[in-house]
Amino acid sequence: MTIPEFKKHWTSLGIGMVWLFILLWPLLGIKPEGLEVASTFNVWWRIALGCSFLLFLYQLNKAGAFKFISRPAGAVAGSMKSATSMVPMAVWFVIGIACTALIPQFAGRYAQDVAINCMIYVCLGLGLNIVVGLAGMLDLGYIAFYGIGAYTYALLSVQFQLSFWICLPISAGMAGLGAWLIGYCSMRMRGDYLAIVTLGFAEICRMVLNNWMSLTNGPNGVTGIKAPGLYWFDFTNGMTLEHIWLKKLSLIYYVILILVVFTIIAVYRLQHSRIGRAWEAIREDETAAEVMGVPTFYMKLLAYCSGACFGGMAGAFYAARMRFVSPESFTFLESAMVLSMVVLGGMGSIPGVILGALALIALPEIFREFELYRMLVFGGVMTLMMLFRPQGMLPSKRTMRSGKD
Amino acid sequence: MSEPILELRDIKAGYGSIKALKGINIKVYEGEIVSIIGANGAGKSTTLMTICNIVQATSGDIFYKGERINNIVSDKLPKMGLCQVPEGRRIFPRLTIEENLDMGAFFRNDKEIEDDKERVFGMFPILRERCKQAGGTLSGGEQQMLAIGRALMSRPKVLLLDEPSLGLAPLIVKQIFSIIKEINSLGTTIILVEQNAKVALSMANRGYVLETGNVVMEDEAKALLNNPDIQKAYLGE
Ligand SMILES: Nc1ncnc2c1ncn2[C@@H]1O[C@H](COP(=O)(O)OP(=O)(O)OP(=O)(O)O)[C@@H](O)[C@H]1O
Ligand SMILES: [Mg+2]
């Protein structure tokens, strides 16, 4: 740590703090009585003090004041890492599933509820991961397929009393069909243009759901959706097959767990197939892939549709679990949320996406008391992540291999 | 001579309002090395991209083995034996070297893919050493070798090479060109686009000179090398 470096850090901190004050003032200082400095200053000096302290610690660390802790800690972390990398991924997968399967046995309603929510988003994130992480297409309207899936099951269940298990593939198929329709027209577009088209498509879907009163009951939503049913042995008088509704939370928990396991395996298999390789090649360089004989148009369409199918499946489950759907569950904010999970966790990495979903769904629940500042913290964390770990929390092997980018 | 394996008849192409090719005629016969030279922006890369139908020809015909291929989707062409190594290599940086090579054989599902991979590794031993490494971590010259190797995996009948010497050290350029010769001697017809006109012409059978979207000269490569105009404009003599 040299003196000029030391000075540079403090000057940039100073400039940053002045800038922060200028930004904060209009946000906090404008009162009905006029502009006031005290309340802004009150918040500002705390932030400034905190940041100065952090910078101080950082500089001490740079100067080597913490070597006595960090060195042994680093050694421990290193050996832990090598120990964990010895265990194959499949073992972690099984352990993870086993632990998740045990949750309903000792966790309360609330925890189960949060866990179910998490798992819905894991399905969504993994589906979107195919489109964004593997094929490299920016999709801002992914939630539309979730909505299509949810409404498909909702309407089939209410109007025709069809069972959940029949509707599950139908919902996935409908979402896939929707993706095919929109994808067929727009797959020739690249990058930002595609993002805008998908964004528009999602809004159109929501508008249709909102305004087609006779079919969807508009903003009031669809009620009276049946929970998944199951034939199960009934031992009360001999052994008969009895139809039961999986209304209990712990039972429905296992339904989504099965869906998650199915999704993980399916996405893993896709990613490591020829098709997955082609998707990654398209992400890397579309023209080169085309010159090498990859049918880029169909491959992209396939990625878009298969991503949508997983979204539709998650949607059907969502409808069955809430037993009520309304258009307001499928806003752009949800799309952005799922996209953030994929980016935050690590594009193209299945464990990354799962971790991303946990971080974005479970963590806010833990910090419920700070509800008010949720979005603020969310934005802050995202910014920090992009600064310090742009490849995501658990990046895929590829991203790590190529180092930067 | 017999029928050309690849023929461009009066091809016009461009990007929107920009006319990059203004009606060019090129004939390539089986087993040849044909070199296309020209200044920056003359339309060399556009010619290759038009052959591969990445850029659509607005008029004219492209014949490959007697068949008109103007309307064949670009991703069907490698299967027919027409493969391009695009300008600036354009390998897949995050795929491993082996996966990059596999992408070259994407449309194939025969048993001989592994043999072909061995053949490529034989030509470029450095690729075998690094075969589990990400393509993007290779040096420029190694990436060029990978790009050529990747194209060879499709067993091309006609190989289009766009500036294979771009940004490479003279020694590597020599190595790459000797490998191109070797590929040609094994029966692949080659179209070679080059800035490095001297080397390109000295190894080619015939040459075309492009200038702002027009073929201004075509001749035996030796004749072009000895042509005083060409020497002044492209060989810097
Ligand atoms: N994508 C594009 N959009 C618009 N114009 C383009 C595009 N690509 C090339 N051009 C134009 O087409 C003309 C021919 O370009 P081309 O890339 O074929 O040149 P080139 O002979 O390969 O040159 P170089 O030796 O520099 O590679 C140039 O005037 C160029 O500006
Ligand atoms: Mg060029």
Side-chain angles (χ1 to χ4, degrees), chain A residues 63 82 101 136 158 169 194 203 266 280 349 380:
Chain A
S82 62
V158 171
L194 184 68
E203 278 308 291
E280 293 194 271
S349 139

Side-chain angles (χ1 to χ4, degrees), chain A residues 137-142 186 189-202 304 332 339:
Chain A
M137 301 182 282
L138 185 51
D139 183 353
L140 293 180
Y142 186 67
S186 56
M189 283 179 230
R190 292 185 186 183
D192 311 348
Y193 301 104
L194 184 68
I196 304 272
V197 170
T198 52
L199 180 65
F201 172 67
Y304 199 56
F332 171 66
L339 189 62

Side-chain angles (χ1 to χ4, degrees), chain A residues 149-345:
Chain A
Y151 265 88
T152 305
Y153 174 56
L155 294 176
L156 287 178
S157 167
V158 171
Q159 309 275 350
F160 302 103
Q161 278 77 46
L162 284 182
S163 124
F164 173 75
W165 301 105
I166 296 173
C167 291
L168 194 63
I170 299 180
S171 295
M174 284 300 282
L177 189 70
W180 190 82
L181 282 177
I182 184 72
Y184 197 82
C185 318
S186 56
M187 273 304 128
R188 291 191 199 285
M189 283 179 230
R190 292 185 186 183
D192 311 348
Y193 301 104
L194 184 68
I196 304 272
V197 170
T198 52
L199 180 65
F201 172 67
E203 278 308 291
I204 292 172
C205 276
R206 200 171 57 83
M207 289 296 175
V208 169
L209 293 180
N210 222 345
N211 292 304
W212 194 346
M213 289 302 285
S214 57
L215 182 72
T216 66
N217 198 21
N220 303 331
V222 181
T223 48
I225 304 166
K226 292 273 192 305
L230 200 63
Y231 286 97
W232 195 251
F233 300 108
D234 187 15
F235 299 102
T236 43
N237 41 2
M239 208 171 72
T240 50
L241 267 183
E242 195 79 1
H243 188 263
I244 51 167
W245 294 110
L246 302 176
K247 282 185 184 166
K248 251 179 74 187
L249 205 57
S250 58
L251 291 178
I252 211 153
Y253 180 93
Y254 288 108
V255 175
I256 184 70
L257 185 61
I258 290 169
L259 286 184
V260 165
V261 172
F262 169 75
T263 311
I264 292 176
I265 294 174
V267 171
Y268 181 86
R269 299 277 302 173
L270 272 174
Q271 185 170 358
H272 292 82
S273 69
R274 240 166 75 84
I275 296 173
R277 184 86 48 76
W279 284 337
E280 293 194 271
I282 291 172
R283 177 192 67 199
E284 304 286 283
D285 190 330
E286 197 173 331
T287 309
E290 200 164 342
V291 177
M292 284 345 290
V294 179
T296 49
F297 178 76
Y298 289 105
M299 281 295 167
K300 278 163 57 175
L301 198 56
L302 187 64
Y304 199 56
C305 290
S306 41
C309 285
F310 291 112
M313 226 170 59
F317 174 80
Y318 173 78
R321 183 232 172 303
M322 301 309 269
R323 282 185 266 142
F324 166 75
V325 287
S326 78
E328 75 199 48
S329 316
F330 311 111
T331 55
F332 171 66
L333 201 66
E334 294 291 308
S335 280
M337 197 74 172
V338 181
L339 189 62
S340 316
M341 283 167 199
V342 176
V343 175
L344 187 72

Side-chain angles (χ1 to χ4, degrees), chain A residues 290 293-295 298, chain B residues 72-82 107:
Chain A
E290 200 164 342
V294 179
Y298 289 105
Chain B
I72 292 182
V73 203
S74 26
D75 53 65
K76 293 274 186 315
L77 293 171
K79 199 168 189 168
M80 299 170 63
L82 200 62
F107 62 86

Side-chain angles (χ1 to χ4, degrees), chain A residues 274-275 277-278 280-297 299 347 396 398-399 401-403 405, chain B residues 49 52 54 73-75 78 83-84 86 90-96 99 102-108 132-134 137 150-151:
Chain A
R274 240 166 75 84
I275 296 173
R277 184 86 48 76
E280 293 194 271
I282 291 172
R283 177 192 67 199
E284 304 286 283
D285 190 330
E286 197 173 331
T287 309
E290 200 164 342
V291 177
M292 284 345 290
V294 179
T296 49
F297 178 76
M299 281 295 167
M347 284 199 263
S396 66
R398 289 194 195 296
T399 334
R401 241 186 343 229
S402 65
D405 177 54
Chain B
M49 283 302 177
C52 289
I54 302 280
V73 203
S74 26
D75 53 65
C83 197
Q84 182 179 174
R90 307 185 76 157
I91 53 150
F92 306 117
R94 274 191 267 175
L95 300 191
T96 64
E99 287 168 331
D102 285 337
M103 285 314 299
F106 183 75
F107 62 86
R108 289 171 55 182
K132 294 279 179 253
Q133 204 173 312
T137 60
R150 186 181 63 179

Side-chain angles (χ1 to χ4, degrees), chain B residues 45 87 162-163:
Chain B
S45 301
E87 186 171 7
D162 198 343
E163 302 203 23

